[in-house]
């Protein structure tokens, strides 16, 4: 029985020895793997620490950069806020100016409408004044023409009056001479005498030698190529013609032996007297 127990103990000791050896081999094996893992883990840890340090450094750099950017952004925000406030102030000022400009514009438009209405009234008034002025101008022109016509008639009348006065003076002079002649022959000029019947006027032909006008330029005077030697007498009425065309009649006012001066009777005029026109006592 003791042998059995001893054997069992020996067997158990052998089993325990084998188990211890297995356990020791397992521990040795586990220790080698653990060391390798520990080295690998240490290396990973070192890498991780380095990465952490790099990440921290990058973080610090990023923090610094972000801080700088934040500060710059804050500064820019403050500047933008100041600009915004300034822009708001300017906008408010511009709004006030715009409102004032709108009021001024409305006032200017109202003034413009008033000015336009006044201008239209002035234009209408000016148009009426222009029409009235044109009417007055036409009336003045007509009055000037009438005045000129009246002046011409007055000058013509003055010329005729001057000619009549001149002829009257000539007739009075001739009457005086005839009265003196009658007294010299013992005849009373106041005594009525039977007047002789004027003889028949003979036909005498001549030509216009020259034409002119009196000083007042109201009457046309012509000089003819026949005179007292051709039995031309003062007061005779001669006919002026050109070819077969009637021109006018002229009355003799001055007679010379071979020439005479006549006044054109304007009321008988049918043309312009020219040098070389025919003159006759009767047609």
């Amino acid at each position: 029985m003791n042998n059995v127990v001893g054997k069992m103990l020996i067997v158990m000791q052998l089993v325990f020895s084998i188990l211890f050896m297995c356990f020791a081999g397992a521990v040795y094996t586990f220790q080698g793997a653990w060391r390798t893992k520990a080295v690998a883990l240490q290396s990973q840890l070192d890498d991780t620490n380095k990465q952490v340090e790099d990440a921290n450094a990058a973080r610090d750099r990023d923090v610094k950069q972000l801080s700088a950017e934040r500060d710059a952004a804050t500064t820019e925000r403050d500047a933008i806020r100041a600009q915004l406030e300034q822009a708001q102030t300017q906008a408010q000022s511009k709004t006030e100016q715009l409102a004032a400009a709108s009021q001024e514009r409305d006032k200017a438009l109202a003034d413009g409408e008033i000015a336009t209405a006044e201008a239209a009234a002035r234009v209408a008034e000016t148009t009426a004044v222009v029409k009235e002025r044109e009417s007055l101008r036409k009336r003045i022109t007509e009055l000037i023409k009438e005045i000129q016509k009246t002046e011409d008639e007055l000058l013509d009348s003055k010329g005729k009056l001057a000619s009549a006065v001149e002829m009257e003076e000539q007739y009075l002079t001739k009457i005086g001479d005839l009265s003196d002649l009658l007294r010299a022959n013992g005849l009373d000029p106041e005594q009525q005498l039977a007047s002789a019947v004027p003889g028949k006027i003979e036909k005498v032909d001549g030509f216009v030698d020259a034409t002119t006008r009196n000083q007042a330029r109201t009457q046309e005077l012509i000089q003819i190529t026949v005179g007292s030697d051709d039995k031309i007498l003062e007061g005779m009425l001669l006919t002026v013609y050109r070819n077969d065309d009637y021109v006018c009649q002229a009355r003799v006012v001055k007679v010379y032996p071979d020439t005479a001066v006549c006044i054109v009777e304007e009321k008988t005029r049918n043309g312009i007297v020219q040098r070389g026109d025919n003159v006759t006592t009767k047609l």
Side-chain angles (χ1 to χ4, degrees):
M1 177 108 178
N2 289 332
N3 290 331
V4 173
V5 171
K7 290 180 179 180
M8 290 180 66
L9 289 173
I10 293 171
V11 171
M12 292 179 63
Q13 184 176 6
L14 179 62
V15 171
F16 283 128
S17 297
I18 294 169
L19 290 174
F20 181 77
M21 288 178 64
C22 290
F23 180 74
V27 169
Y28 179 79
T29 303
F30 179 76
Q31 183 180 4
W34 176 83
R35 182 176 296 173
T36 302
K37 290 182 179 179
V39 172
L41 290 174
Q42 186 65 40
S43 177
Q44 290 180 356
L45 180 61
D46 293 337
D47 293 338
T48 301
N49 290 332
K50 185 176 180 181
Q51 291 177 357
V52 169
E53 290 177 357
D54 292 339
N56 289 332
R59 183 197 63 188
D60 293 338
R61 288 195 302 272
D62 292 339
V63 168
K64 290 181 180 180
Q65 183 177 359
L66 290 174
S67 297
E69 291 178 355
R70 182 195 63 188
D71 295 338
T74 302
T75 303
E76 186 177 1
R77 181 201 63 189
D78 295 337
I80 292 174
R81 182 175 296 174
Q83 292 178 359
L84 179 60
E85 292 177 354
Q86 183 179 2
Q88 290 177 348
T89 304
Q90 291 179 354
Q92 185 176 1
S93 177
K94 295 295 183 181
T95 303
E96 294 176 355
Q97 292 179 359
L98 180 60
S102 297
Q103 293 179 355
E104 292 182 357
R105 181 200 62 189
D106 296 337
K107 182 179 178 182
L109 288 175
D111 293 340
E113 291 177 356
I114 296 174
T116 301
E118 291 180 353
R122 295 290 181 274
V123 169
E125 184 178 356
T126 303
T127 303
V129 170
V130 169
K131 290 182 179 179
E132 184 177 359
R133 184 181 63 185
E134 291 296 331
S135 177
L136 290 176
R137 182 179 295 174
K138 291 180 180 179
R139 180 58 181 164
I140 290 171
T141 303
E142 292 176 357
L143 290 175
I144 290 173
K145 290 181 179 179
E146 292 179 1
I147 291 172
Q148 290 177 349
K149 182 179 178 181
T150 304
E151 289 179 351
D152 293 340
E153 292 177 353
L154 180 60
L155 289 174
D156 187 49
S157 299
K158 287 181 178 180
K160 290 181 180 179
L161 179 60
S163 299
V165 170
E166 184 180 357
M167 292 180 65
E168 183 181 7
E169 290 177 354
Q170 293 177 359
Y171 289 145
L172 290 175
T173 301
K174 288 185 178 181
I175 290 172
D177 294 338
L178 291 175
S179 297
D180 293 338
L181 181 60
L182 290 174
R183 290 190 184 94
N185 290 301
L187 298 174
D188 186 5
E190 301 296 333
Q191 182 180 1
Q192 291 185 355
L193 298 175
S195 59
V197 178
K200 184 178 180 181
I201 298 176
E202 297 182 1
K203 187 175 186 303
V204 178
D205 295 325
F207 300 95
V208 176
D209 189 43
T211 64
T212 185
R213 284 191 169 271
N214 58 1
Q215 292 183 352
R217 304 194 64 79
T218 57
Q219 291 182 332
E220 186 176 8
L221 304 176
I222 62 174
Q223 182 176 328
I224 60 177
T225 57
V226 290
S228 58
D229 292 345
D230 302 300
K231 298 181 180 181
I232 297 298
L233 302 175
E234 291 183 6
M236 275 188 172
L237 193 62
L238 306 180
T239 301
V240 181
Y241 64 96
R242 186 182 309 118
N243 298 327
D244 294 332
D245 297 328
Y246 169 83
V247 178
C248 65
Q249 288 185 338
R251 188 171 299 278
V252 180
V253 295
K254 193 72 173 177
V255 180
Y256 300 97
D258 56 355
T259 187
V261 178
C262 307
I263 294 178
V264 174
E265 297 287 338
E266 293 294 335
K267 62 183 180 181
T268 66
R269 182 188 292 276
N270 192 39
I272 300 175
V273 181
Q274 297 179 359
R275 184 177 181 182
D277 287 347
N278 301 97
V279 178
T280 182
T281 54
K282 62 179 182 177
L283 293 175

